[in-house]
Amino acid sequence: MTATAIAPPDLAPAPGPPPGAPRMLTGDRPTGRLHLGHYAGSLANRARLHRRYESFFIIADLHMLTTKNSPGEIAETGRHAADMVLDSLAAGLDPAHSVFYLQSAVPEVAELSLLLSSLVTVPRLQRIPSLKEMAQHAGQREMPLALLGYPVLQAADILAVHAAVVPVGNDNAAHVEVAREMARRFNRRYGEVFTVPALVRADVPVLPGTDGRAKMSKSLGNAIYLSDPPDEVAAKVRRMYTDPARTTAGVPGTVEGNPVFVYHDAFNDRPAEVADLKERYRAGKVGDAEVKEKLTAALNRFLDPIRERRAAFEADQGLVEELIVTGTARTRREVKRTLADVRAAMGLTAALAGFRRAARSRAR
Ligand code: TRP
């Protein structure tokens, strides 16, 4: 991973998108609290983009069901969703300019997904690598039907709200491509109903975990959370993986790919300090303890304003829940309208209308 500084959150009040701005949709499955990897990979980008686009954020609990569907896992959805929204607000999303909605509470999306499913073939979906990976990761030897349909459901989410831009990571890029294909195919066959969405690839490197593994992730237990208190951050940094060849401070160390320095590059707002630490590390003139203490201090400087914002939103009891309730109602109205247009364009409303006319004339 190359040195890429991640902008600290700009938490000053700022205007929302101009009226009539194009729409953006993005979001996540409800897995719980968000960590630095989410910040680097998507939150920073979302905070910036939601000033330019009218923004919808999906809590994709139906997508979660494609791999996690035990009653216990489903029971956690509410808490996880609320944690995710709270962390998103803390990281800079403005509640006045963010529509959060719960996917399963917009059942029209499922009907749209079914109607769209005749616009794509099974082999097309079978070739998408992310689906095979998800199946494997979930311990499934055979592909569940719902998982094969994951991109179709995602296309329904995107097309249902006429999203013009969809910022996602690499693992989701192929899904947005499927949505684009389906939108074009539908429009050609039945008439112009859908906006063809543009993929906005989050052009950010993946943040490694504290254990040095390639990706920070909750399931790997190698994450630093936005909600971790300062002493927890210190403890996690102290346990962090560094250059294993460096048995004492006097041994010259490797900076490249060393997660401690990857984090310094990403989050430390004092580039001169980072340059000095790197130089001394390479020369064997600094202990891991100092590098880590300075990293802890930098991460806490980065996280402090996020913590403050989090505490303020948390103190406003019921706010997060209200945002989800109103956002879901708003989205459902939009999706119902789209679904009515889709059914009309496909000619699905004509038959019943004809039956009704005939039935009425008989009754007279
Ligand atoms: N697939 C996304 C994930 O990895 C979540 C998601 C569902 C999504 N529907 C979407 C993202 C629509 C962007 C647009 O969790």
Side-chain angles (χ1 to χ4, degrees):
M1 180 165 140
T2 50
T4 315
I6 290 153
D10 177 9
L11 303 177
R23 209 169 258 179
M24 160 172 114
L25 172 67
T26 187
D28 311 272
R29 285 158 285 171
T31 49
R33 294 185 297 146
L34 303 180
H35 51 61
L36 289 176
H38 291 120
Y39 189 89
S42 56
L43 286 175
N45 202 31
R46 288 177 191 180
R48 203 165 37 80
L49 292 173
H50 91 307
R51 304 275 169 212
R52 297 220 315 258
Y53 300 104
E54 188 190 11
S55 298
F56 285 67
F57 298 100
I58 186 171
I59 302 161
D61 58 339
L62 293 179
H63 277 107
M64 182 192 83
L65 295 182
T66 64
T67 54
K68 294 183 180 173
N69 44 41
S70 71
E73 285 164 325
I74 296 171
E76 306 221 71
T77 300
R79 190 169 48 83
H80 284 169
D83 281 343
M84 244 167 59
V85 171
L86 183 58
D87 279 337
S88 301
L89 297 176
L93 292 192
D94 184 338
H97 304 298
S98 307
V99 179
F100 296 99
Y101 72 98
L102 186 63
Q103 185 185 30
S104 65
V106 186
E108 289 77 13
V109 164
E111 183 176 343
L112 184 58
S113 178
L114 179 80
L115 295 177
L116 292 174
S117 64
S118 46
L119 299 171
V120 70
T121 68
V122 168
R124 169 75 180 88
L125 296 171
Q126 281 171 329
R127 282 194 294 271
I128 298 176
S130 56
L131 302 181
K132 285 180 225 165
E133 279 160 29
M134 278 194 271
Q136 237 169 33
H137 190 80
Q140 299 280 1
R141 271 185 301 116
E142 295 184 344
M143 176 65 70
L145 177 60
L147 191 51
L148 189 66
Y150 188 113
V152 180
L153 180 59
Q154 188 162 351
D157 297 329
I158 295 166
L159 304 182
V161 299
H162 298 290
V165 293
V166 184
V168 290
N170 283 334
D171 52 341
N172 266 261
H175 308 173
V176 179
E177 189 49 44
V178 169
R180 288 166 55 79
E181 287 171 21
M182 290 180 136
R184 283 192 295 254
R185 212 161 284 156
F186 185 99
N187 288 349
R188 220 180 310 123
R189 187 175 295 180
Y190 303 112
E192 293 282 329
V193 171
F194 292 130
T195 306
V196 179
L199 166 68
V200 179
R201 215 182 270 260
D203 197 14
V204 287
V206 174
L207 198 70
T210 54
D211 56 359
R213 280 193 276 187
K215 192 174 174 182
M216 183 178 282
S217 116
K218 178 187 175 141
S219 57
L220 295 176
N222 61 9
I224 294 175
Y225 291 91
L226 300 183
S227 50
D228 279 345
D231 55 343
E232 178 90 36
V233 172
K236 286 180 176 176
V237 170
R238 247 182 273 117
R239 289 196 299 267
M240 260 183 90
Y241 174 93
T242 60
D243 181 347
R246 223 169 152 260
T247 43
T248 68
V251 178
T254 304
V255 162
E256 285 67 34
N258 185 334
V260 178
F261 282 101
V262 174
Y263 290 13
H264 263 300
D265 279 331
F267 298 105
N268 194 337
D269 56 351
R270 298 177 184 169
E273 178 178 285
V274 177
D276 168 65
L277 286 174
K278 283 183 182 172
E279 197 185 307
R280 288 194 287 137
Y281 197 84
R282 288 193 177 106
K285 285 186 176 150
V286 65
D288 273 19
E290 184 184 341
V291 177
K292 289 183 167 180
E293 266 159 38
K294 290 196 162 128
L295 177 60
T296 296
L299 290 178
N300 282 328
R301 280 198 302 281
F302 182 86
L303 289 171
D304 271 340
I306 297 179
R307 291 186 181 116
E308 253 171 63
R309 231 172 110 96
R310 193 176 205 281
F313 284 120
E314 211 170 7
D316 192 343
Q317 279 196 23
L319 169 76
V320 162
E321 292 80 357
E322 182 183 84
L323 287 172
I324 297 173
V325 170
T326 54
T328 300
R330 156 99 192 272
T331 306
R332 190 162 187 205
R333 285 196 298 277
E334 300 274 346
V335 175
K336 278 186 169 169
R337 206 174 310 143
T338 307
L339 185 63
D341 291 345
V342 165
R343 293 176 59 103
M346 291 178 76
L348 289 174
T349 45
L352 186 65
F355 295 153
R356 284 209 170 109
R357 270 194 306 277
R360 257 196 319 271
S361 66
R362 178 171 186 264
R364 271 194 271 107

